[in-house]
Amino acid sequence: MYGIKLKRKIKNNLRLLGDKYNIDLLFIFQGSIWFTLQKILGISSALIIGILFANFIDPAEYGKYKYIISTAEIFGSLSLASGLYFITTRSISKNKYIKLSQVTKKIFYSHILFFLIGISISTYYFYQGNSQIGSSFLAITILFPFLQSVNVFKPALDGAKLFKISTIFGIKKIIINLIIMSAPIYLGFSYLWLIISNYGSRLLASTLNYKSTTKILKQDTDLSKKEIKSSFHLS
C-alpha cells in the first residue's frame, strides 16, 4: 500500500515539476529506467558474443568481420532512417498515430544510395577474386535496408510511452540475436555466415516486433510533406 502511494507521489511531483519547466519529466524518467535495463542486457549480450569470438573465431576472420560491418554501417547512415525515427516518436507522442507501413517504405527507399554503394563494393571484390568479402557486402546490402525499415517499431512504441513493451521487444531481439549467432561462432564458421546470422537474426526479431507493434498501435494518419522534408534535415 505504501509503495503504491509513493509511486503516485513521485508521478505527481514529476508532473508538477515538468509543467513548471514545460518538460515531460515523467516521459523522460519512465523511458530512462527501461532504456537502462535494455542497455545493460545489450552490453551483457555483446560481452558474451565477444567471449565466444575470442575463443572460437580466428583473429583474422574476426578482423574481416568487423571491417565489413563497420564499412557497411558507415554508408548505412546516409539514409533517412534516423530522421524518420525521430519524426515517428514525436508524432505519436503528440497523439498523431502515423501509418507505420508508410514510414517503413520511406525508410526502405531512402537506402537507394546505400544499395548502390553496397553493390559497387561487392562487385569490386568479386572482380578482384575475393568472393567471400563480395558475398558478405552483398548480404548486408540486401538485409540492412529491410532491418532499418522494421526497426521503426521502437520509436513508435517510445512515442506512445509504452516503454515496458519496447524494452521487452528489445530484450527479445537481443536473445534471438544471441542464440542464432552462437551456433556459427561455436562451430567456427567463416565471417560470411557470421554476418548473415547477425543481420538475419536481427531482421527476424525486428520483423516480429514490428508486426506486434502494428497490432498494438492504431494507425490513421499519413506522413505530411512537411514531416518528410524535416526528416531530410534530421538525418
PDB file of all heavy atoms in Angstrom, residues 21-39:
ATOM      1  N   TYR A  21       8.562  23.690 -15.889  1.00  0.00           N
ATOM      2  CA  TYR A  21       9.630  23.967 -16.861  1.00  0.00           C
ATOM      3  C   TYR A  21       9.253  23.567 -18.282  1.00  0.00           C
ATOM      4  O   TYR A  21      10.091  23.546 -19.179  1.00  0.00           O
ATOM      5  CB  TYR A  21      10.914  23.247 -16.441  1.00  0.00           C
ATOM      6  CG  TYR A  21      11.486  23.755 -15.146  1.00  0.00           C
ATOM      7  CD1 TYR A  21      11.294  23.069 -13.948  1.00  0.00           C
ATOM      8  CD2 TYR A  21      12.212  24.950 -15.109  1.00  0.00           C
ATOM      9  CE1 TYR A  21      11.809  23.541 -12.752  1.00  0.00           C
ATOM     10  CE2 TYR A  21      12.728  25.429 -13.918  1.00  0.00           C
ATOM     11  CZ  TYR A  21      12.522  24.727 -12.740  1.00  0.00           C
ATOM     12  OH  TYR A  21      13.033  25.196 -11.552  1.00  0.00           O
ATOM     13  N   ASN A  22       7.984  23.187 -18.476  1.00  0.00           N
ATOM     14  CA  ASN A  22       7.468  22.794 -19.799  1.00  0.00           C
ATOM     15  C   ASN A  22       8.243  21.604 -20.381  1.00  0.00           C
ATOM     16  O   ASN A  22       8.625  21.594 -21.546  1.00  0.00           O
ATOM     17  CB  ASN A  22       7.526  23.980 -20.764  1.00  0.00           C
ATOM     18  CG  ASN A  22       6.647  23.769 -21.984  1.00  0.00           C
ATOM     19  OD1 ASN A  22       5.651  23.045 -21.927  1.00  0.00           O
ATOM     20  ND2 ASN A  22       7.016  24.379 -23.091  1.00  0.00           N
ATOM     21  N   ILE A  23       8.513  20.614 -19.510  1.00  0.00           N
ATOM     22  CA  ILE A  23       9.219  19.394 -19.913  1.00  0.00           C
ATOM     23  C   ILE A  23       8.420  18.189 -19.413  1.00  0.00           C
ATOM     24  O   ILE A  23       7.929  18.195 -18.285  1.00  0.00           O
ATOM     25  CB  ILE A  23      10.644  19.339 -19.314  1.00  0.00           C
ATOM     26  CG1 ILE A  23      11.471  20.548 -19.749  1.00  0.00           C
ATOM     27  CG2 ILE A  23      11.360  18.057 -19.714  1.00  0.00           C
ATOM     28  CD1 ILE A  23      12.805  20.664 -19.039  1.00  0.00           C
ATOM     29  N   ASP A  24       8.288  17.175 -20.248  1.00  0.00           N
ATOM     30  CA  ASP A  24       7.595  15.955 -19.829  1.00  0.00           C
ATOM     31  C   ASP A  24       8.570  15.069 -19.050  1.00  0.00           C
ATOM     32  O   ASP A  24       9.148  14.112 -19.575  1.00  0.00           O
ATOM     33  CB  ASP A  24       7.055  15.207 -21.048  1.00  0.00           C
ATOM     34  CG  ASP A  24       6.049  14.115 -20.659  1.00  0.00           C
ATOM     35  OD1 ASP A  24       6.012  13.752 -19.465  1.00  0.00           O
ATOM     36  OD2 ASP A  24       5.317  13.646 -21.542  1.00  0.00           O
ATOM     37  N   LEU A  25       8.757  15.394 -17.767  1.00  0.00           N
ATOM     38  CA  LEU A  25       9.715  14.664 -16.945  1.00  0.00           C
ATOM     39  C   LEU A  25       9.297  13.224 -16.692  1.00  0.00           C
ATOM     40  O   LEU A  25      10.145  12.346 -16.554  1.00  0.00           O
ATOM     41  CB  LEU A  25       9.912  15.388 -15.602  1.00  0.00           C
ATOM     42  CG  LEU A  25      10.721  16.688 -15.645  1.00  0.00           C
ATOM     43  CD1 LEU A  25      10.786  17.316 -14.268  1.00  0.00           C
ATOM     44  CD2 LEU A  25      12.125  16.427 -16.163  1.00  0.00           C
ATOM     45  N   LEU A  26       7.996  12.990 -16.615  1.00  0.00           N
ATOM     46  CA  LEU A  26       7.503  11.621 -16.400  1.00  0.00           C
ATOM     47  C   LEU A  26       7.877  10.740 -17.582  1.00  0.00           C
ATOM     48  O   LEU A  26       8.302   9.590 -17.411  1.00  0.00           O
ATOM     49  CB  LEU A  26       5.986  11.624 -16.198  1.00  0.00           C
ATOM     50  CG  LEU A  26       5.339  10.289 -15.834  1.00  0.00           C
ATOM     51  CD1 LEU A  26       5.907   9.758 -14.518  1.00  0.00           C
ATOM     52  CD2 LEU A  26       3.824  10.427 -15.734  1.00  0.00           C
ATOM     53  N   PHE A  27       7.742  11.292 -18.784  1.00  0.00           N
ATOM     54  CA  PHE A  27       8.124  10.590 -20.010  1.00  0.00           C
ATOM     55  C   PHE A  27       9.614  10.251 -19.979  1.00  0.00           C
ATOM     56  O   PHE A  27      10.022   9.118 -20.257  1.00  0.00           O
ATOM     57  CB  PHE A  27       7.817  11.494 -21.215  1.00  0.00           C
ATOM     58  CG  PHE A  27       8.214  10.928 -22.548  1.00  0.00           C
ATOM     59  CD1 PHE A  27       7.345  10.151 -23.287  1.00  0.00           C
ATOM     60  CD2 PHE A  27       9.474  11.181 -23.080  1.00  0.00           C
ATOM     61  CE1 PHE A  27       7.710   9.641 -24.520  1.00  0.00           C
ATOM     62  CE2 PHE A  27       9.850  10.682 -24.307  1.00  0.00           C
ATOM     63  CZ  PHE A  27       8.960   9.910 -25.029  1.00  0.00           C
ATOM     64  N   ILE A  28      10.439  11.238 -19.610  1.00  0.00           N
ATOM     65  CA  ILE A  28      11.894  11.044 -19.567  1.00  0.00           C
ATOM     66  C   ILE A  28      12.282  10.026 -18.496  1.00  0.00           C
ATOM     67  O   ILE A  28      13.103   9.137 -18.725  1.00  0.00           O
ATOM     68  CB  ILE A  28      12.602  12.388 -19.314  1.00  0.00           C
ATOM     69  CG1 ILE A  28      12.365  13.340 -20.492  1.00  0.00           C
ATOM     70  CG2 ILE A  28      14.102  12.182 -19.095  1.00  0.00           C
ATOM     71  CD1 ILE A  28      12.832  14.759 -20.234  1.00  0.00           C
ATOM     72  N   PHE A  29      11.672  10.140 -17.317  1.00  0.00           N
ATOM     73  CA  PHE A  29      12.005   9.263 -16.191  1.00  0.00           C
ATOM     74  C   PHE A  29      11.649   7.801 -16.487  1.00  0.00           C
ATOM     75  O   PHE A  29      12.468   6.897 -16.315  1.00  0.00           O
ATOM     76  CB  PHE A  29      11.267   9.736 -14.937  1.00  0.00           C
ATOM     77  CG  PHE A  29      11.543   8.913 -13.714  1.00  0.00           C
ATOM     78  CD1 PHE A  29      12.762   8.999 -13.056  1.00  0.00           C
ATOM     79  CD2 PHE A  29      10.589   8.034 -13.226  1.00  0.00           C
ATOM     80  CE1 PHE A  29      13.028   8.225 -11.925  1.00  0.00           C
ATOM     81  CE2 PHE A  29      10.840   7.261 -12.098  1.00  0.00           C
ATOM     82  CZ  PHE A  29      12.063   7.363 -11.449  1.00  0.00           C
ATOM     83  N   GLN A  30      10.413   7.583 -16.948  1.00  0.00           N
ATOM     84  CA  GLN A  30       9.984   6.212 -17.251  1.00  0.00           C
ATOM     85  C   GLN A  30      10.816   5.610 -18.376  1.00  0.00           C
ATOM     86  O   GLN A  30      11.221   4.445 -18.305  1.00  0.00           O
ATOM     87  CB  GLN A  30       8.493   6.208 -17.634  1.00  0.00           C
ATOM     88  CG  GLN A  30       7.563   6.496 -16.468  1.00  0.00           C
ATOM     89  CD  GLN A  30       6.111   6.558 -16.904  1.00  0.00           C
ATOM     90  OE1 GLN A  30       5.787   6.933 -18.036  1.00  0.00           O
ATOM     91  NE2 GLN A  30       5.219   6.195 -16.005  1.00  0.00           N
ATOM     92  N   GLY A  31      11.065   6.412 -19.405  1.00  0.00           N
ATOM     93  CA  GLY A  31      11.852   5.913 -20.524  1.00  0.00           C
ATOM     94  C   GLY A  31      13.276   5.575 -20.130  1.00  0.00           C
ATOM     95  O   GLY A  31      13.840   4.581 -20.594  1.00  0.00           O
ATOM     96  N   SER A  32      13.853   6.375 -19.255  1.00  0.00           N
ATOM     97  CA  SER A  32      15.244   6.168 -18.832  1.00  0.00           C
ATOM     98  C   SER A  32      15.423   4.852 -18.090  1.00  0.00           C
ATOM     99  O   SER A  32      16.416   4.145 -18.277  1.00  0.00           O
ATOM    100  CB  SER A  32      15.700   7.326 -17.937  1.00  0.00           C
ATOM    101  OG  SER A  32      15.679   8.538 -18.645  1.00  0.00           O
ATOM    102  N   ILE A  33      14.459   4.515 -17.240  1.00  0.00           N
ATOM    103  CA  ILE A  33      14.538   3.269 -16.459  1.00  0.00           C
ATOM    104  C   ILE A  33      14.566   2.063 -17.384  1.00  0.00           C
ATOM    105  O   ILE A  33      15.436   1.187 -17.283  1.00  0.00           O
ATOM    106  CB  ILE A  33      13.363   3.163 -15.468  1.00  0.00           C
ATOM    107  CG1 ILE A  33      13.489   4.234 -14.380  1.00  0.00           C
ATOM    108  CG2 ILE A  33      13.323   1.773 -14.835  1.00  0.00           C
ATOM    109  CD1 ILE A  33      12.299   4.315 -13.458  1.00  0.00           C
ATOM    110  N   TRP A  34      13.618   2.008 -18.289  1.00  0.00           N
ATOM    111  CA  TRP A  34      13.533   0.850 -19.192  1.00  0.00           C
ATOM    112  C   TRP A  34      14.679   0.836 -20.189  1.00  0.00           C
ATOM    113  O   TRP A  34      15.198  -0.227 -20.546  1.00  0.00           O
ATOM    114  CB  TRP A  34      12.191   0.854 -19.921  1.00  0.00           C
ATOM    115  CG  TRP A  34      11.042   0.536 -19.019  1.00  0.00           C
ATOM    116  CD1 TRP A  34      10.090   1.397 -18.563  1.00  0.00           C
ATOM    117  CD2 TRP A  34      10.743  -0.732 -18.415  1.00  0.00           C
ATOM    118  NE1 TRP A  34       9.218   0.743 -17.730  1.00  0.00           N
ATOM    119  CE2 TRP A  34       9.589  -0.566 -17.621  1.00  0.00           C
ATOM    120  CE3 TRP A  34      11.335  -1.999 -18.483  1.00  0.00           C
ATOM    121  CZ2 TRP A  34       9.025  -1.606 -16.899  1.00  0.00           C
ATOM    122  CZ3 TRP A  34      10.760  -3.037 -17.762  1.00  0.00           C
ATOM    123  CH2 TRP A  34       9.629  -2.837 -16.980  1.00  0.00           C
ATOM    124  N   PHE A  35      15.086   2.028 -20.647  1.00  0.00           N
ATOM    125  CA  PHE A  35      16.215   2.118 -21.576  1.00  0.00           C
ATOM    126  C   PHE A  35      17.489   1.594 -20.916  1.00  0.00           C
ATOM    127  O   PHE A  35      18.277   0.885 -21.545  1.00  0.00           O
ATOM    128  CB  PHE A  35      16.416   3.566 -22.021  1.00  0.00           C
ATOM    129  CG  PHE A  35      17.630   3.771 -22.896  1.00  0.00           C
ATOM    130  CD1 PHE A  35      17.602   3.419 -24.238  1.00  0.00           C
ATOM    131  CD2 PHE A  35      18.803   4.292 -22.376  1.00  0.00           C
ATOM    132  CE1 PHE A  35      18.719   3.599 -25.044  1.00  0.00           C
ATOM    133  CE2 PHE A  35      19.926   4.465 -23.165  1.00  0.00           C
ATOM    134  CZ  PHE A  35      19.880   4.126 -24.508  1.00  0.00           C
ATOM    135  N   THR A  36      17.685   1.935 -19.648  1.00  0.00           N
ATOM    136  CA  THR A  36      18.869   1.491 -18.915  1.00  0.00           C
ATOM    137  C   THR A  36      18.899  -0.026 -18.787  1.00  0.00           C
ATOM    138  O   THR A  36      19.942  -0.660 -18.966  1.00  0.00           O
ATOM    139  CB  THR A  36      18.912   2.135 -17.511  1.00  0.00           C
ATOM    140  OG1 THR A  36      18.918   3.555 -17.647  1.00  0.00           O
ATOM    141  CG2 THR A  36      20.156   1.694 -16.742  1.00  0.00           C
ATOM    142  N   LEU A  37      17.737  -0.614 -18.493  1.00  0.00           N
ATOM    143  CA  LEU A  37      17.638  -2.074 -18.373  1.00  0.00           C
ATOM    144  C   LEU A  37      18.012  -2.756 -19.677  1.00  0.00           C
ATOM    145  O   LEU A  37      18.805  -3.713 -19.700  1.00  0.00           O
ATOM    146  CB  LEU A  37      16.215  -2.477 -17.962  1.00  0.00           C
ATOM    147  CG  LEU A  37      15.917  -3.982 -17.908  1.00  0.00           C
ATOM    148  CD1 LEU A  37      16.829  -4.685 -16.909  1.00  0.00           C
ATOM    149  CD2 LEU A  37      14.453  -4.233 -17.570  1.00  0.00           C
ATOM    150  N   GLN A  38      17.464  -2.245 -20.782  1.00  0.00           N
ATOM    151  CA  GLN A  38      17.769  -2.830 -22.086  1.00  0.00           C
ATOM    152  C   GLN A  38      19.234  -2.638 -22.446  1.00  0.00           C
ATOM    153  O   GLN A  38      19.868  -3.524 -23.034  1.00  0.00           O
ATOM    154  CB  GLN A  38      16.878  -2.196 -23.162  1.00  0.00           C
ATOM    155  CG  GLN A  38      17.044  -2.841 -24.547  1.00  0.00           C
ATOM    156  CD  GLN A  38      16.090  -2.266 -25.562  1.00  0.00           C
ATOM    157  OE1 GLN A  38      15.030  -1.763 -25.229  1.00  0.00           O
ATOM    158  NE2 GLN A  38      16.468  -2.327 -26.823  1.00  0.00           N
ATOM    159  N   LYS A  39      19.799  -1.492 -22.061  1.00  0.00           N
ATOM    160  CA  LYS A  39      21.204  -1.201 -22.346  1.00  0.00           C
ATOM    161  C   LYS A  39      22.115  -2.182 -21.616  1.00  0.00           C
ATOM    162  O   LYS A  39      23.085  -2.694 -22.184  1.00  0.00           O
ATOM    163  CB  LYS A  39      21.525   0.228 -21.911  1.00  0.00           C
ATOM    164  CG  LYS A  39      22.816   0.780 -22.476  1.00  0.00           C
ATOM    165  CD  LYS A  39      22.673   1.114 -23.948  1.00  0.00           C
ATOM    166  CE  LYS A  39      23.918   1.763 -24.492  1.00  0.00           C
ATOM    167  NZ  LYS A  39      23.819   2.012 -25.945  1.00  0.00           N
TER     168      LYS A  39
END
